[in-house]
Amino acid sequence: MTLPQLQDQPVEIRSTTTRPAEPPAIWSRNFRYYFTARSAGLLGDAMLPVAVTAGLVGAHHGAGTVGFALAFLFGPFAGLVLFGGVLADRFTARRMMIGADLLNLTTRVLLAVLFFRGVDQLWQLYLLLALAGTAAAMFQPGAASTVPLVARDVQGANGVLRTSEAFAALLGPALAGALAAVATGWVMVIAALSFGISAICLFALRLGAVPAPPPGDSLWRNLVVGWREFRSRSWLWGVILIWLFFTVLGWGPLLPVTSGVVIPRYGDSAYFLLNCAFGAGTVVGGLLAVRFKPQRPLAAGAVAMLAFPLYPIGIVLGQPVWLLAAAQVVVGIGLTFWSVMWATSVQTQVPGEVLNRIHAYEVAGSVCMFPIGSALSGPAVEAFGATRVLQVGIVVSFLVVAALLLTRPVRTLRRVPDRA
């Protein structure tokens, strides 16, 4: 073959450049750090109410003192979470969460000292619990808005985080109860370490540029803009409005009313088994949400909410413990699947520069109504009886599912594809 013939042949040129490998859809470096931070923080949070209750009861304080203590813990959260959302948008969620973890670490160290020494001045306990509630209000808005920044598969990441939350909800109270039998102060020491781990992991995140509101706006202006963004999304405020009724009339009263029925009827061990069954269901629901990605997430989540009435129905009908446990597993699956569909919809449908504020409005309008439902359950049982209160909750649960599916913006909201 001559040289001209060689020149006439087509030459294949292969590029020596390669495309950079895409980070994993879920388990990227950032998500691993964030998952560790959230798992540690959730464990610390889950330990506090049980530890405080056990510590006060062990120090011969009555139910009234325990009630006041928990009110000082949850009250600041309900009152300040909206401002937490504004500040997270202004100063970035990561900074707010690290600050909240450091405040939590400080309060747990001081609570450890207080319980080791003996709670003789209740105002000191109340002040530290109020600071812990303030830290939760600082942390919570950013906990949701950070997920889209650390994982391409937002729904899968939420499913993993809900699974971790379920394990923390099971392990935290059990660990706190076991250690509180020795000394409540040691519970606080472990909780302080957990928040230290969370702060270190959050500090290690590499998030790049984070959307923020325009500079120069006042806090009030940021709050008003957040409200306008919230109000402009009918699917968003529609769900919150429906959830208000569900939380007050169905979900909020469920725990105190069912515990008042189950423990006398079946015993403490059966009640513990039923709580474990619910925890197992939440783990399964989180894992299911990682894999199953419906095109209409809120509609699918609403259908999953049909599981919620199974447990109170079983109690009203006097079913055996094994059937109640099976119902609790299904309830845990349904509630967790809904929560992942909801969280993912908010995180992917709302612009990043207002997401913290939107999440704060969401929490203030739904989760913060839970204590009201719980508080009203006692007078309602005294007035109408436990069975009637449970029956009302069952009917409300079915009406909530119907309302979600009949509300067109909720029913038709479509899933946002995962980022490439």
Side-chain angles (χ1 to χ4, degrees):
M1 185 178 289
T2 63
L3 183 60
Q5 289 175 314
L6 282 172
Q7 292 175 333
D8 291 338
Q9 300 301 313
V11 178
E12 181 180 357
I13 300 175
R14 297 183 180 273
S15 174
T16 58
T17 61
T18 58
R19 294 179 61 186
E22 288 185 347
I26 299 178
W27 292 103
S28 63
R29 173 194 178 277
N30 273 337
F31 184 76
R32 291 196 299 271
Y33 276 114
Y34 184 66
F35 174 81
T36 304
R38 287 299 292 136
S39 299
L42 288 168
L43 181 64
D45 281 332
M47 296 171 72
L48 185 58
V50 174
V52 169
T53 301
L56 288 175
V57 172
H60 308 292
H61 291 282
T65 301
V66 174
F68 275 118
L70 295 180
F72 275 97
L73 174 62
F74 294 119
F77 175 80
L80 298 175
V81 68
L82 286 179
F83 296 97
V86 172
L87 293 174
D89 275 333
R90 287 171 68 93
F91 301 114
T92 77
R94 178 170 168 267
R95 292 173 183 168
M96 290 293 294
M97 290 190 293
I98 292 173
D101 277 337
L102 294 178
L103 179 57
N104 270 321
L105 187 155
T106 303
T107 60
R108 296 323 189 267
V109 170
L110 294 176
L111 283 168
V113 173
L114 186 62
F115 277 106
F116 279 132
R117 190 190 64 195
V119 184
D120 51 356
Q121 298 290 328
L122 286 174
W123 70 267
Q124 297 173 345
L125 175 65
Y126 295 158
L127 174 62
L128 291 174
L129 291 176
L131 290 175
T134 301
M138 293 168 57
F139 192 101
Q140 183 59 43
S145 66
T146 304
V147 177
L149 302 177
V150 298
R152 291 188 294 115
D153 181 357
V154 178
Q155 180 180 318
N158 279 315
V160 171
L161 291 170
R162 288 299 186 277
T163 303
S164 173
E165 184 178 349
F167 278 116
L170 286 173
L171 179 61
L175 182 61
L179 290 175
V182 179
T184 302
W186 286 114
V187 181
M188 300 304 172
V189 170
I190 294 176
L193 290 174
S194 72
F195 287 113
I197 292 171
S198 177
I200 292 171
C201 290
L202 291 173
F203 184 78
L205 292 179
R206 299 171 185 168
L207 300 181
V210 179
D217 285 351
S218 65
L219 287 176
W220 177 251
R221 172 66 180 169
N222 291 156
L223 201 61
V224 170
V225 170
W227 170 250
R228 289 175 181 169
E229 293 285 344
F230 176 81
R231 191 179 60 184
S232 67
R233 293 168 171 82
S234 55
W235 63 270
L236 184 62
W237 61 258
V239 170
I240 296 301
L241 184 61
I242 295 169
W243 212 253
L244 288 175
F245 291 97
F246 173 63
T247 304
V248 173
L249 298 176
W251 188 23
L254 184 67
L255 179 60
V257 176
T258 54
S259 62
V261 175
V262 169
I263 293 176
R265 184 185 296 175
Y266 301 101
D268 291 336
S269 59
Y271 184 66
F272 175 75
L273 171 64
L274 293 175
N275 283 326
C276 290
F278 176 80
T282 60
V283 171
V284 175
L287 295 175
L288 178 65
V290 173
R291 305 293 300 176
F292 181 52
K293 299 180 178 180
Q295 289 301 311
R296 297 184 179 182
L298 296 185
V303 173
M305 281 293 296
L306 287 171
F308 181 83
L310 294 179
Y311 181 51
I313 288 174
I315 293 176
V316 170
L317 296 178
Q319 297 297 318
V321 172
W322 70 270
L323 271 179
L324 294 179
Q328 279 285 68
V329 171
V330 178
V331 171
I333 294 172
L335 273 177
T336 304
F337 188 79
W338 159 262
S339 69
V340 172
M341 296 300 107
W342 170 247
T344 303
S345 297
V346 174
Q347 292 162 7
T348 56
Q349 301 276 351
V350 175
E353 61 270 17
V354 294
L355 181 53
N356 292 306
R357 282 168 284 175
I358 292 292
H359 180 60
Y361 275 112
E362 169 210 340
V363 172
S366 56
V367 178
C368 290
M369 297 302 291
F370 186 88
I372 297 177
S374 298
L376 293 177
S377 64
V381 169
E382 291 181 2
F384 307 108
T387 299
R388 183 56 56 85
V389 174
L390 289 175
Q391 289 172 341
V392 170
I394 292 167
V395 173
V396 168
S397 301
F398 284 118
L399 292 176
V400 162
V401 173
L404 290 172
L405 293 175
L406 290 174
T407 304
R408 190 174 184 278
V410 175
R411 184 182 70 252
T412 60
L413 186 74
R414 302 192 71 84
R415 176 176 173 268
V416 175
D418 297 337
R419 297 196 305 271

